[in-house]
């Protein structure tokens, strides 16, 4: 691990995806060992993606071969769940049934897990452009695409934040110029905070983004006993002086250009179909004034130290990704998307408890899982971006 000062993008790339990185080491527990996503919260999430895939199949005229690509596949949990749901719904691989026409691909830098369904093809990189017909799905992938962090100096000038990988200490570097400056001006214009935030990089102290009590709720729902307590994906502004009211230091942003490019490349794998990403996100009208960079390890939010020992993540400027991906995109909350796909957190009728107590308990458990997935203060506040290619977004019948 180098201890030289560098930008957050380079440091995160090495920490997450370099040799022995957080996501690449074969002996690690995978994402599920460190944080809780919708995939891990309930099998109903995979069931909803399976229903979405059926709608994609219908919209494309049920082609002879339908592709399903999962980007950032972890240990293959989502694809395994989707295949199981399709098998159960179609009675197996009957003639013409979707499971028999489906080609499932996982894109993940970690090695293929042992015992994974042999129908899943494991890839280290995205397929070539224009080679897929079907659905590209990415759950909590873009937030792990490394980005640079910037912060305004006392004169209000945005400067690149440099980090020391060994301990996460920060200091300000050169002013932001060129394409990065243009991206900020268009997608995340920085005013300035009246006072420096408690974790300002100018102190060269260890980054306090995760531990600062005013920095907002956890950006991921951690695994473990406290998972249900996550207050949601949307970062909140710290209390104190209003953002943008007077010149000063401490306003922060994450430059989303690498994510725009990654998403555009993912969309280009499709010859025809739909690309969907689900993530915690924000839009231009509601950017968090102090950024969202944080870390996760062993089910807890921690300070983001790029030493390979924790996940490093930041919310996604998803409207910028939508513009990079093409035209006709649909942006909606996960709550709206999943409810459109039949995920319902309503309690089962009490009469069922009398006529069939076991069925009532099963339905009650399912309702609890559905409620977690669609909770507007938690996972339900995530955003889905639906990007059509050679089709219309309305064809998959997701209502904002």
């Amino acid at each position: 691990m180098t201890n030289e000062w560098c930008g957050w993008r380079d440091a995160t790339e090495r920490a997450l995806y370099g040799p022995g990185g957080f996501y690449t080491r074969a002996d690690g527990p995978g994402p599920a060992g460190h944080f809780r996503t919708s995939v891990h919260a309930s099998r109903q999430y995979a069931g909803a993606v399976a229903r979405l895939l059926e709608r994609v199949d219908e919209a494309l005229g049920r082609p002879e071969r339908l592709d399903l690509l999962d980007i950032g596949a972890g240990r293959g949990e989502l694809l395994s769940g989707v295949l199981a749901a399709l098998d159960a719904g179609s009675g197996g691989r009957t003639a013409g049934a979707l499971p028999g026409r489906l080609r499932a691909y996982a894109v993940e830098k970690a090695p293929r897990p042992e015992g994974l369904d042999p129908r899943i093809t494991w890839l280290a990189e995205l397929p070539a452009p224009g080679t897929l017909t079907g659905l590209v799905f990415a759950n909590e992938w873009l937030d792990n695409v490394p980005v640079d962090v910037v912060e305004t100096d006392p004169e209000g000038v945005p400067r690149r934040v440099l980090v020391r990988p060994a301990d996460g200490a920060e200091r300000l570097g050169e002013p932001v110029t060129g394409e990065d400056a243009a991206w900020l001006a268009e997608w995340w214009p920085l005013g300035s905070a009246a006072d420096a935030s408690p974790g300002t990089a100018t102190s060269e102290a260890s980054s306090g983004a995760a531990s600062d009590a005013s920095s907002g709720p956890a950006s991921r729902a951690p695994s473990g006993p406290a998972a249900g307590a996550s207050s949601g994906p949307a970062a909140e502004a710290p209390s104190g002086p209003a953002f943008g009211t007077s010149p000063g230091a401490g306003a922060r942003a994450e430059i989303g250009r690498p994510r725009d490019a990654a998403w555009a490349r993912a969309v280009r794998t499709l010859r025809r179909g739909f690309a969907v990403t689900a993530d915690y996100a924000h839009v231009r009208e509601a950017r968090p004034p102090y950024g969202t960079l944080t870390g996760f390890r062993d089910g807890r939010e921690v300070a983001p130290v790029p030493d390979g020992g924790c996940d490093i993540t930041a919310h996604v400027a998803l409207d910028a990704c939508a513009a990079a991906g093409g035209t006709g995109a649909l942006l909606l909350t996960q709550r709206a998307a999943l409810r459109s796909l039949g995920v319902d957190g309503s309690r089962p009728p009490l009469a069922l408890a009398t006529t069939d107590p076991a069925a009532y308990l099963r339905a009650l458990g399912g309702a609890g899982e559905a409620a977690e997935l669609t909770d507007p203060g938690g996972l339900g506040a995530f955003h889905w971006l639906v990007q059509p290619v050679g089709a219309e977004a309305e064809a998959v019948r997701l209502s904002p």
Side-chain angles (χ1 to χ4, degrees):
M1 172 62 62
T2 178
N3 205 30
E4 296 180 358
W5 295 94
C6 62
W8 268 105
R9 182 182 179 187
D10 290 341
T12 302
E13 182 69 33
R14 289 193 296 266
L16 298 185
Y17 306 116
F22 185 79
Y23 281 116
T24 55
R25 54 178 177 263
D27 58 346
H34 296 280
F35 49 83
R36 182 181 176 87
T37 73
S38 298
V39 176
H40 310 121
S42 173
R43 289 180 295 178
Q44 292 187 51
Y45 191 77
V49 175
R51 288 189 289 278
L52 175 62
L53 182 64
E54 290 173 336
R55 295 184 184 184
V56 169
D57 188 36
E58 178 184 355
L60 298 180
R62 296 186 172 83
E64 182 178 342
R65 186 185 104 174
L66 189 75
D67 300 307
L68 173 59
L69 178 70
D70 180 15
I71 307 176
R75 297 297 184 263
E77 300 97 331
L78 178 59
L79 283 179
S80 297
V82 170
L83 291 173
L86 291 174
D87 284 344
S90 68
R93 300 190 192 189
T94 55
L98 178 52
R101 295 184 287 113
L102 185 64
R103 300 294 180 269
Y105 304 92
V107 177
E108 179 59 65
K109 291 184 179 294
R112 180 188 181 95
E114 293 185 6
L116 188 67
D117 191 314
R119 292 177 288 177
I120 299 173
T121 299
W122 199 261
L123 304 173
E125 303 291 342
L126 288 171
T131 57
L132 302 181
T133 298
L135 175 63
V136 171
F137 198 89
N139 182 70
E140 294 197 37
W141 165 56
L142 287 172
D143 64 89
N144 282 130
V145 173
V147 291
D148 273 320
V149 178
V150 301
E151 182 176 314
T152 51
D153 65 16
E155 286 71 45
V157 176
R159 292 178 176 270
R160 202 171 305 275
V161 175
L162 304 180
V163 61
R164 190 165 57 199
D167 59 5
E170 293 182 333
R171 70 184 186 192
L172 294 185
E174 294 297 314
V176 180
T177 59
E179 291 181 324
D180 286 344
W183 188 93
L184 284 173
E186 181 174 3
W187 293 109
W188 198 329
L190 283 174
S192 50
D195 294 296
S197 66
T200 180
T202 55
S203 67
E204 294 194 11
S206 180
S207 171
S211 58
D212 178 9
S214 68
S215 63
S219 61
R220 275 190 168 166
S223 59
S230 174
S231 56
E236 296 176 354
S239 59
F243 172 69
T245 56
S246 64
R252 287 169 71 105
E254 293 101 28
I255 300 175
R257 278 202 317 117
R259 294 171 173 180
D260 296 353
W263 178 243
R265 173 65 179 86
V267 173
R268 288 199 302 273
T269 63
L270 288 166
R271 183 177 67 86
R272 196 162 61 102
F274 300 82
V276 178
T277 187
D279 228 313
Y280 38 91
H282 44 65
V283 295
R284 193 180 190 278
E285 294 75 21
R287 302 286 189 226
Y290 296 98
T292 60
L293 188 74
T294 191
F296 280 91
R297 181 175 57 243
D298 298 330
R300 297 181 181 276
E301 190 174 12
V302 298
V305 178
D307 62 355
C310 70
D311 177 42
I312 297 174
T313 176
H315 293 49
V316 182
L318 207 52
D319 49 348
C321 294
T327 59
L330 173 66
L331 192 62
L332 70 166
T333 66
Q334 175 158 297
R335 177 179 174 84
L338 291 184
R339 295 182 95 179
S340 297
L341 292 166
V343 177
D344 186 0
S346 302
R347 291 174 63 95
L350 285 174
L352 184 61
T354 302
T355 59
D356 192 340
Y360 176 78
L361 290 175
R362 288 193 299 271
L364 190 63
E369 293 178 359
E372 180 182 1
L373 290 173
T374 59
D375 178 6
L379 293 173
F382 279 41
H383 284 69
W384 281 35
L385 169 60
V386 181
Q387 203 101 41
V389 177
E392 299 293 332
E394 293 77 11
V396 290
R397 307 191 301 280
L398 297 179
S399 301

